[in-house]
Amino acid sequence: QNAGKATVQERNALYALRSMTFRVQERMSGRTDLVDFRKELLQTVENGLDRMNRNQNFVRQENMLVAGIHVRLGDINFETGQYQRALQEYQKCLAVFEALDQNDGIPNPQANWSKICQQLGEASRMVGDMKAAERYFQESLQIRRRWAAESPSLNSLEMFAISLGKA
């Protein structure tokens, strides 16, 4: 029963971290006067994730919440010009996706895979790794093309918007 309580507490903590990360990104997007404050908040979230990852009871690889947090951390780092850190966060999300994919545990897989590949491509481009950027962009494009072929009921603009998380 204690293990069950710990799992609930860990999930609640993840929801809190996720909510804070989303709110930071929403409220502070484009606010150059708050870059230092955003960096401090990012460090707080990253420290919380690190503590959770060290906890033996926490199964990080099986959790879409963690993947979402890494994406948001990557987005915030990208927006603040910390491209290497953004790339690292997107890579952490990719690792979670790969673990989830082995168990068919990714919801809306085409949208999630194409979006993370796109973000990895952008971050790789910004750190000057053009080969990796091209590889990620090509992978994202291939996923979107397969998705379009498999989903003829979606028009291509709607499908593209969904894959970018805009719909």
Side-chain angles (χ1 to χ4, degrees), residues 1 27 31 116 137 146 152:
Q1 187 157 5
R27 295 276 181 119
R31 299 269 317 264
I116 194 61
F137 287 141
R146 280 194 313 268

Side-chain angles (χ1 to χ4, degrees), residues 63-134:
N63 204 316
M64 278 301 289
L65 285 174
V66 172
I69 291 170
H70 286 302
V71 168
R72 295 300 174 217
L73 289 173
D75 292 347
I76 295 168
N77 278 304
F78 193 93
E79 290 172 5
T80 59
Q82 298 178 91
Y83 303 115
Q84 187 62 47
R85 289 183 75 176
L87 182 60
Q88 291 168 348
E89 291 300 331
Y90 294 144
Q91 289 168 336
K92 290 175 186 178
C93 175
L94 183 65
V96 174
F97 276 10
E98 288 170 345
L100 285 166
D101 197 36
Q102 292 175 358
N103 300 318
D104 295 323
I106 298 178
N108 200 1
Q110 296 95 338
N112 283 309
W113 276 111
S114 66
K115 184 175 180 181
I116 194 61
C117 288
Q118 178 75 28
Q119 289 165 305
L120 282 160
E122 290 293 342
S124 296
R125 182 178 62 85
M126 295 306 289
V127 298
D129 189 347
M130 297 307 164
K131 285 185 179 189
E134 182 179 9

Side-chain angles (χ1 to χ4, degrees), residues 2 18 25 49 62 70 76 89 101 111-112 121 164:
N2 285 340
R18 180 177 180 261
Q25 187 177 13
L49 279 175
E62 297 177 359
H70 286 302
I76 295 168
E89 291 300 331
D101 197 36
N112 283 309
L164 293 177

Side-chain angles (χ1 to χ4, degrees), residues 11 19 21 31 40 42 49 51 53 57 80 83 85 102-103 113 117 130 133 139 141 156 163:
R11 183 162 297 275
S19 295
T21 305
R31 299 269 317 264
E40 286 178 39
L42 279 172
L49 279 175
R51 278 192 301 277
N53 288 336
N57 297 324
T80 59
Y83 303 115
R85 289 183 75 176
Q102 292 175 358
N103 300 318
W113 276 111
C117 288
M130 297 307 164
E139 188 171 347
L141 183 59
S156 58
S163 74

